[in-house]
Amino acid sequence: MDTHKTRKTRFATLRRGLMIPAPALALIAGTLFSRVGDSLASLGMVLDAADHGIRWGVTEVFLAELIPTVLAAPLVGALVDRISARSVCLSALTVQALSFGAAAAVDAFHLRVALIALSGLAGVASVTAGFKMLPVVAGSEHTGRANSLLTAGLSTAGLIGPPLAGFLHSARGTAFLLGADAVSFLLLAGCTALAVPRRTDVSVGRRPAAKLSDGYHALREAPVVGMLLPTLAAAMLATSIEGVAGVFYLRNVADGNETLFGFFLATWALGSIPGALLAGRAGWSARHTALILGGVLGISVALLSAGLLPVAAVIFPLFLLGGFGNGVCNVGLRNAVHSQVPAEVHGSAWACYQALSRICIGLGFVLGTPNALVSSRGQVIVSGAVPLAFSLWALLGLGRRGQSFLGESPAGIGKAPG
């Protein structure tokens, strides 16, 4: 037996499995630069509000990023499904660049927030169009891997952005950070133009008669996504509750050590990178139920245990587990929507999911705010218990249907009704 030849064949097979087309890589790279820019601008505005003692300033910034998505997502998604996603994306990115460029040029806090809200409105369109274009430029056989790399890259941007923003805010100020975000949108527009040239058929799945309700209907009808939407909502609510309550709880665990607190936050993002990469492997990328439900279980156990065990040495590995589950879940969700929702409503479905996620996030911010009824530690415990209960209920539902949690295979995956 020629073992050398066998090894070469296996290596070639592995290399083909890891590679995705250059246009998809360009689109992913541009998205990552843009996400780092978003982190710079968002944290810069938060720090600006804190430095100037602006009452409700931080809340105002967060609402400016949330509300446009909730209000505009169904309309924008239908627009992306009706016309060329390329045209929508490039136009939206131009508006975002101009908005942040204008925000960098003015010095009034509330005017800057209004311009960020305008950019957020355009951002619904650019993100939705990007989701719709990815399978076109990656090809159906590489879409799962592309989603994996994109999710891992976004987690990497989450690691790089905050510390870089803190350093640049001290050295150059908020206007510089806002201008950097404007440049990042222009860079993403350039990558999009290169990745999706005019000759590329981006009208795939175009649906001139798209309705605002098509996205919600498609999500409900998708076999896996529809079944697990309540569990996903519980997970998003939980992580948002912990995102606020955890600031107070984790700082107590760290005994006021800000460096240790920063490492807590970075650990979650660090864990999500291998989770996203492993979820993109050929043997797993199509197992949507296992990825989504397994990911939520990882998040739940991590948050619940972190609340029950207020010890720094224990919380670090738990946050690695939670981040790992977060990355796995995100890839599973993107793959499920791409493969189970008809292409003609990809834009509407993803826009509507964004709206649902922002509603859960906003509610989580409110519920995670410190109050006299539940301590910050209690809120973290609740943030783990709620999605755990939903996950176990979903597992029971699978058992009643005679379905296996790990038994899903590509051959068994169907398409949602059009």
Side-chain angles (χ1 to χ4, degrees):
M1 180 178 179
D2 191 347
T3 56
H4 178 68
K5 184 177 180 180
T6 302
R7 284 196 299 270
K8 287 180 64 178
T9 302
R10 288 177 178 172
F11 176 77
T13 303
L14 176 63
R15 186 180 178 185
R16 284 195 300 271
L18 292 174
M19 292 178 63
I20 62 174
L25 288 175
L27 196 62
I28 292 170
T31 303
L32 304 190
F33 280 115
S34 180
R35 180 57 63 90
V36 172
D38 289 345
S39 296
L40 298 181
S42 180
L43 188 55
M45 289 296 293
V46 168
L47 293 173
D48 207 25
D51 288 346
H52 292 86
I54 301 173
R55 183 175 174 82
W56 295 100
V58 175
T59 302
E60 189 177 340
V61 173
F62 288 151
L63 290 177
E65 295 172 346
L66 289 177
I67 292 177
T69 304
V70 175
L71 296 179
L75 178 62
V76 171
L79 178 68
V80 171
D81 286 329
R82 285 176 179 167
I83 61 179
S84 168
R86 180 185 190 272
S87 300
V88 172
C89 189
L90 292 177
S91 300
L93 290 171
T94 301
V95 171
Q96 290 180 273
L98 291 174
S99 298
F100 274 96
V106 302
D107 196 33
F109 179 83
H110 300 296
L111 180 55
R112 281 178 169 175
V113 172
L115 289 166
I116 289 174
L118 175 61
S119 175
L121 189 63
V124 181
S126 60
V127 170
T128 301
F131 182 85
K132 190 175 179 74
M133 289 187 298
L134 188 62
V136 177
V137 297
S140 58
E141 69 276 19
H142 297 297
T143 298
R145 184 62 182 167
N147 279 327
S148 171
L149 290 177
L150 177 61
T151 303
L154 293 177
S155 298
T156 304
L159 278 173
I160 296 171
L164 182 61
F167 170 75
L168 291 176
H169 184 266
S170 300
R172 303 297 297 271
T174 303
F176 180 83
L177 298 178
L178 295 171
D181 200 14
V183 172
S184 76
F185 286 119
L186 293 177
L187 180 61
L188 177 54
C191 291
T192 301
L194 288 174
V196 193
R198 291 183 183 276
R199 64 179 179 274
T200 302
D201 183 10
V202 289
S203 63
V204 173
R206 185 182 296 175
R207 191 174 193 175
K211 296 181 292 186
L212 298 185
S213 61
D214 286 347
Y216 292 111
H217 178 73
L219 289 175
R220 289 196 308 269
E221 293 297 319
V224 172
V225 180
M227 176 183 65
L228 295 180
L229 264 180
T231 305
L232 286 164
M236 289 184 287
L237 180 69
T239 53
S240 300
I241 291 173
E242 191 281 330
V244 178
V247 172
F248 303 92
Y249 171 63
L250 294 174
R251 290 182 73 179
N252 286 334
V253 174
D255 292 326
N257 186 325
E258 299 294 349
T259 302
L260 185 59
F261 170 70
F263 278 125
F264 280 143
L265 302 183
T267 301
W268 190 280
L270 187 64
S272 67
I273 296 172
L277 292 175
L278 288 175
R281 294 182 56 150
W284 279 96
S285 62
R287 298 183 184 275
H288 311 308
T289 303
L291 292 177
I292 296 173
L293 200 49
V296 174
L297 282 169
I299 293 170
S300 308
V301 171
L303 292 180
L304 179 60
S305 301
L308 293 173
L309 303 169
V311 180
V314 175
I315 290 177
F316 278 119
L318 288 174
F319 270 33
L320 282 174
L321 171 64
F324 185 91
N326 209 157
V328 166
C329 179
N330 287 342
V331 174
L333 171 66
R334 291 181 64 93
N335 288 345
V337 175
H338 271 139
S339 65
Q340 295 189 343
V341 171
E344 62 265 24
V345 287
H346 272 172
S348 296
W350 195 246
C352 289
Y353 183 79
Q354 287 184 76
L356 291 171
S357 69
R358 295 304 188 274
I359 291 171
C360 293
I361 291 170
L363 182 58
F365 286 162
V366 173
L367 295 177
T369 302
N371 58 76
L373 298 177
V374 185
S375 67
S376 60
R377 181 184 179 186
Q379 289 168 317
V380 172
I381 292 173
V382 169
S383 75
V386 170
L388 180 61
F390 275 84
S391 300
L392 295 176
W393 182 258
L395 282 171
L396 287 174
L398 287 174
R400 287 195 298 267
R401 296 184 182 93
Q403 295 175 250
S404 171
F405 172 54
L406 296 174
E408 189 176 26
S409 64
I413 295 173
K415 295 285 185 182

